[in-house]
Amino acid sequence: MDLIPAPRQMERAERFYDLGDGLGIEAGPGTEDTARWLRATLGAATGLALPPKKGDEYDVLHLSVRPGLDAEEYRLVIAPHGPHIQGGSPAGVFWGAQTLRQLLGPDAFRRAPLPDRTWRLPLAEIRDAPRFRWRGLMLDVARHFMPKDGVLRYLDLMAAHKLNVFHFHLTDDQGWRIEIKRYPRLTEVGSWRARTKFGHRASPLWDDKPHGGFYTQDDIREIVAYAAERHITVVPEIDVPGHSQAAIAAYPELGNTDVIDTSALSVWDTWGINPNVLAPTDNTLRFYEGVFEEVLELFPSEFIHVGGDECLKDQWRQSATAQARIRELGLRDEDELQAWFIGHFDGWLSARGRRLIGWDEILEGGLAKGAAVSSWRGYAGGIAAARAGHDVVMCPEQQVYLDHRQDAGAEEPVPIGYVRTLEDVYRFEPVPAELTPDEARHVLGTQANVWTEVMEDQARVDYQTFPRLAAFAEVAWSRLPAPEQRDFAGFERRMAAHYGRLDALGVAYRPPTGPRPWQRRPGVLGRPIDGPPPNR
């Protein structure tokens, strides 16, 4: 049984249960969404109707919530008379259904039945539960827009791998992707750029057609609802105070108008760290409070991500307005000014029952009491935050940034960063050894990040994300041994079956033997970094 992620405990017999036209589903209270999902997915793949059925009948797939199990824990029993999935909550039942689908084989991941297929399940008992409560994927749709159907597809791919947090990077210098009714120019102006750098920022190549797109508020509601049906929480990111040129291009008064002519700015068409950051004014605070008011109406998540990374402070040093604000607040420097900016929104979100999370730069100048940290610049930020009593999501760039290249070979398309192979990701450990058990409890979990500067379409996103996301999913879900003791050879054997599932789903992953001819990008400059990544 080549399951990914690997379950905690599994026993199987050499006999099978054969699925026939008479198989029905008994959905106990709280499991109705999983029953609908099974009919829509397994029903489509197998051609079986899976009608409602009572539990005292033969050939029944029982779904039930069982008190006493942890919320995301499940128990899957496949007996001679039919399967039974028990979960500690509706989420646990759903994860058990994902395992059931894998047991049926790769063709269970298709959208229509193939001729002359028989369907059988091994008689087995599986007990399973996740290691972490936050098992995340961040998708950057600001640099290259992904249409709504592509986002829904990625939610399905996350669910298939038992990932449960979708970090939705919606705004950046290169595009604003969410409709804000109060500020229509954010999408009228900020959602598209005139051209796009092709490759790394040092590349001489340009794509000269306009690029853009955004999600309406109804699109967002659909995405959030679709995710919720799959027990995935959507955490939106609205980037402040850096990575904000698209917003400033739409509303120039948000920028440092006493330093540059912000009315001359357009949505940025290249990559890198942008010097044009938000002005630390009351007007800016009120504007973004208006943005977040609409964001909170659309996203019910506990956490709201505010970015906070790579905020260059040169304009603040030159701005009389920013310097006056530093003196007015009795701050020491521009780092504390950014901490004040982030702290304002921490208090504003807390007053509305939400929690702020930001990249680890928000530690600089002092971190707001209730804030959580996404530790991306290695482990150090997460260690510091956990020791200070802040919750942490571990997503170190050197380990789980999936835009980094997968091989050192010259055929890798637009090579970025360190070589991070499938095995490297499989041996990633989210909890730093330096933390005490009490400190380690602040590690909510882990997240893989997909930045799309050099990913111009869905196929490129697939190539960079898979198969490494499968390895990451096992790290996030399963209780694996220490990195050096992990059975990567065994994982590779299970991946041989998993590639068939990805094929059935139409995922344009990187094959183990290297990129296919159409996956290469010859002559497009990247930014490879030689040597092993620093593990700190």
Side-chain angles (χ1 to χ4, degrees):
M1 296 192 291
D2 298 314
L3 299 175
I4 291 176
R8 183 172 297 183
Q9 184 180 353
M10 178 171 57
E11 299 174 5
R12 67 158 295 175
E14 295 305 316
R15 294 182 296 151
F16 291 86
Y17 169 77
D18 292 313
L19 283 68
D21 291 337
L23 179 64
I25 298 177
E26 181 190 37
T31 71
E32 296 86 357
D33 282 351
T34 297
R36 281 192 292 271
W37 180 86
L38 285 164
R39 291 189 183 101
T41 55
L42 291 190
T46 64
L48 301 176
L50 304 176
K53 214 170 185 183
K54 292 184 179 179
D56 55 356
E57 300 180 47
Y58 197 78
D59 287 340
V60 177
L61 169 53
H62 302 267
L63 307 176
S64 62
V65 173
R66 177 186 171 188
L69 298 177
D70 290 340
E72 292 189 279
E73 184 178 359
Y74 70 88
R75 180 174 177 241
L76 169 60
V77 177
I78 303 166
H81 60 275
H84 190 174
I85 303 173
Q86 298 175 327
S89 72
V93 176
F94 183 72
W95 303 133
Q98 294 292 342
T99 298
L100 181 79
R101 186 189 193 189
Q102 288 198 17
L103 291 173
L104 284 168
D107 287 341
F109 290 77
R110 298 189 181 276
R111 295 188 183 183
L114 300 181
D116 303 322
R117 290 295 190 274
T118 58
W119 300 96
R120 53 177 17 194
L121 290 164
L123 300 189
E125 179 173 348
I126 297 172
R127 295 172 179 266
D128 201 8
R131 179 184 178 191
F132 293 111
R133 60 172 275 206
W134 186 301
R135 306 180 301 280
L137 173 69
M138 190 227 70
L139 181 63
D140 166 21
V141 296
R143 271 53 177 267
H144 279 100
F145 178 67
M146 181 177 285
K148 180 190 67 179
D149 284 353
V151 174
L152 299 179
R153 173 177 176 267
Y154 259 84
L155 291 170
D156 280 329
L157 291 170
M158 289 179 63
H161 292 83
K162 298 186 174 73
L163 299 174
N164 69 341
V165 178
F166 179 54
H167 176 166
F168 206 7
H169 184 80
L170 288 163
T171 73
D172 218 296
D173 298 301
Q174 296 86 0
W176 184 283
R177 305 294 179 215
I178 178 173
E179 177 189 26
I180 301 296
K181 293 184 181 295
R182 193 172 319 190
Y183 306 121
R185 287 177 58 84
L186 287 172
T187 47
E188 291 171 359
V189 174
S191 70
W192 69 275
R193 56 183 181 264
R195 63 175 188 169
T196 300
K197 175 70 72 172
F198 190 29
H200 181 250
R201 58 181 174 271
S203 167
L205 303 176
W206 293 89
D207 180 350
D208 284 319
K209 70 175 181 291
H211 177 86
F214 67 93
Y215 309 102
T216 69
Q217 293 201 353
D218 281 344
D219 290 337
I220 294 292
R221 292 184 181 99
E222 179 184 358
I223 289 167
V224 170
Y226 195 86
E229 289 173 352
R230 287 147 184 80
H231 299 278
I232 295 170
T233 299
V234 183
V235 174
E237 180 179 355
I238 306 295
D239 225 326
V240 297
H243 288 288
S244 297
Q245 182 161 322
I248 297 169
Y251 292 92
E253 65 272 19
L254 296 174
N256 294 283
T257 56
D258 59 347
V259 176
I260 63 163
D261 178 10
T262 56
S263 65
L265 293 177
S266 59
V267 178
W268 212 25
D269 57 13
T270 189
W271 319 121
I273 302 177
N274 191 306
N276 296 305
V277 302
L278 297 175
T281 63
D282 290 342
N283 176 68
T284 300
L285 297 180
R286 301 292 88 76
F287 183 96
Y288 274 88
E289 287 172 0
V291 169
F292 282 117
E293 282 177 4
E294 296 192 25
V295 167
L296 296 191
E297 290 174 0
L298 297 169
F299 296 93
S301 55
E302 174 186 3
F303 288 97
I304 302 295
H305 209 292
V306 302
D309 62 315
E310 297 180 330
C311 178
L312 295 181
K313 300 177 176 67
D314 294 342
Q315 290 184 357
W316 286 356
R317 294 185 184 97
Q318 300 168 36
S319 166
T321 300
Q323 292 303 311
R325 177 53 56 103
I326 288 174
R327 291 191 297 273
E328 171 197 338
L329 296 170
L331 305 177
R332 285 181 298 192
D333 54 21
E334 290 77 19
D335 284 344
E336 287 197 356
L337 184 61
Q338 177 171 344
W340 165 81
F341 195 105
I342 296 297
H344 173 86
F345 286 103
D346 177 62
W348 189 91
L349 289 167
S350 295
R352 289 155 181 81
R354 306 298 185 95
R355 293 183 64 189
L356 179 146
I357 185 169
W359 303 109
D360 56 55
E361 284 95 332
I362 68 174
L363 290 163
E364 298 167 3
L367 179 56
K369 181 179 180 182
V373 170
S374 300
S375 184
W376 77 273
R377 295 180 299 176
Y379 288 95
I383 292 169
R387 286 176 172 168
H390 296 283
D391 288 337
V392 179
V393 176
M394 295 303 301
C395 49
E397 173 186 20
Q398 303 89 338
Q399 314 300 328
V400 288
Y401 267 36
L402 300 186
D403 48 308
H404 283 214
R405 57 192 172 136
Q406 302 184 64
D407 189 86
E411 294 181 338
E412 287 302 306
V414 199
I416 298 295
Y418 295 102
V419 172
R420 292 287 83 191
T421 65
L422 184 67
E423 181 173 1
D424 291 330
V425 175
Y426 190 67
R427 297 192 189 281
F428 164 61
E429 173 49 48
V431 179
E434 297 94 322
L435 296 180
T436 68
D438 283 343
E439 292 165 347
R441 277 192 276 272
H442 284 291
V443 179
L444 300 177
T446 184
Q447 179 174 289
N449 293 340
V450 180
W451 300 102
T452 63
E453 285 95 336
V454 299
M455 301 180 211
E456 71 275 12
D457 55 29
Q458 180 176 281
R460 280 286 291 124
V461 175
D462 278 6
Y463 179 91
Q464 292 298 134
T465 304
F466 289 97
R468 293 182 296 180
L469 192 69
F472 173 81
E474 184 149 311
V475 169
W477 176 278
S478 306
R479 293 187 179 272
L480 298 176
E484 64 277 4
Q485 298 170 0
R486 293 176 188 172
D487 182 10
F488 180 69
F491 176 76
E492 280 191 304
R493 286 193 296 271
R494 287 182 285 123
M495 277 301 298
H498 199 65
Y499 286 120
R501 298 173 191 132
L502 298 178
D503 286 332
L505 289 166
V507 177
Y509 59 85
R510 181 190 189 275
T513 54
R516 297 179 172 95
W518 57 87
Q519 292 175 320
R520 302 167 190 161
R521 296 292 185 274
V524 181
L525 185 66
R527 184 183 59 90
I529 304 175
D530 293 328
N535 190 20
R536 63 179 188 273

